[in-house]
Amino acid sequence: ARAQMVKDFLTYTIETQECVVLFAPTEEEKWKLWEALERYIHIRVPRLLLLPNLRDDWVFQQLLQTLDFLHPSQLDVTIPIDDEILAQSATYLTDINFLRTPRNKLICLVNCIINLITYIQKQQTTVMSPDDLMACLSYIIIKANPPNLISNIRFILDSRPDSLLFGSWGYFLSNFAVVVEFVQKIDANNLSKLDLSN
């Protein structure tokens, strides 16, 4: 709720600037102003804005712990996942907690996915499909079991303006959120019946 209040304030501020005749900001200038104000607010009062949902985060981590027995093939992962890419991904997903602004958290998340995409492309001889990425990302999340992941995703979604969630960053974030939702629905008794694309 507090993240949404900041988002509403920033939206109002940007819209107000558009009404000033002597200051007609371009789209680039508007989002630079947004980024600057957002960064200032979140650095000054970070603990008041990002309030982790301890219950949801705990439940998700417990779920990941119970799914740790899964092999990559059970998630339709068709390439070898080595310890290095697991460690790199775990670092990205854990480092999100040490970043204050929604933008920086999103960048860290995007870098994690780009790093994984690069790894997959090196391992495959065919063109990587979205299903390949989602399967590998599911396995990575389960093995990494990062803290506060649910809260961080919600924080990014609640804080970032809708117009900045389009494009490649928005694509990566939405795919990540879909993967988390998929993992939350995994049941060891009917794993093979689940469709990863849903």
Side-chain angles (χ1 to χ4, degrees), residues 80-98:
I81 304 292
D82 61 31
D83 291 341
E84 183 178 359
I85 189 63
L86 280 174
Q88 291 173 353
S89 300
T91 298
Y92 278 119
L93 297 178
T94 301
D95 284 352
I96 293 177
N97 292 292
F98 304 112

Side-chain angles (χ1 to χ4, degrees), residues 75-176:
L75 293 168
D76 296 329
V77 176
T78 58
I79 63 171
I81 304 292
D82 61 31
D83 291 341
E84 183 178 359
I85 189 63
L86 280 174
Q88 291 173 353
S89 300
T91 298
Y92 278 119
L93 297 178
T94 301
D95 284 352
I96 293 177
N97 292 292
F98 304 112
L99 302 172
R100 295 184 179 182
T101 69
R103 180 180 185 273
N104 288 346
K105 288 179 180 288
L106 178 56
I107 289 174
C108 191
L109 193 65
V110 169
N111 286 339
C112 175
I113 298 175
I114 291 176
N115 187 56
L116 182 58
I117 289 174
T118 302
Y119 174 82
I120 295 173
Q121 290 174 335
K122 289 180 179 178
Q123 298 291 323
Q124 288 185 330
T125 56
T126 58
V127 177
M128 183 192 72
S129 71
D131 285 345
D132 294 328
L133 174 60
M134 295 178 74
C136 290
L137 192 53
S138 299
Y139 183 74
I140 291 290
I141 290 173
I142 291 172
K143 290 298 181 180
N145 198 353
N148 304 321
L149 187 61
I150 301 298
S151 292
N152 277 307
I153 293 175
R154 289 176 182 168
F155 180 65
I156 295 170
L157 288 170
D158 290 345
S159 302
R160 297 263 76 192
D162 296 336
S163 57
L164 290 185
L165 291 178
F166 291 105
S168 58
W169 285 18
Y171 173 79
F172 288 139
L173 178 60
S174 62
N175 273 275
F176 193 91

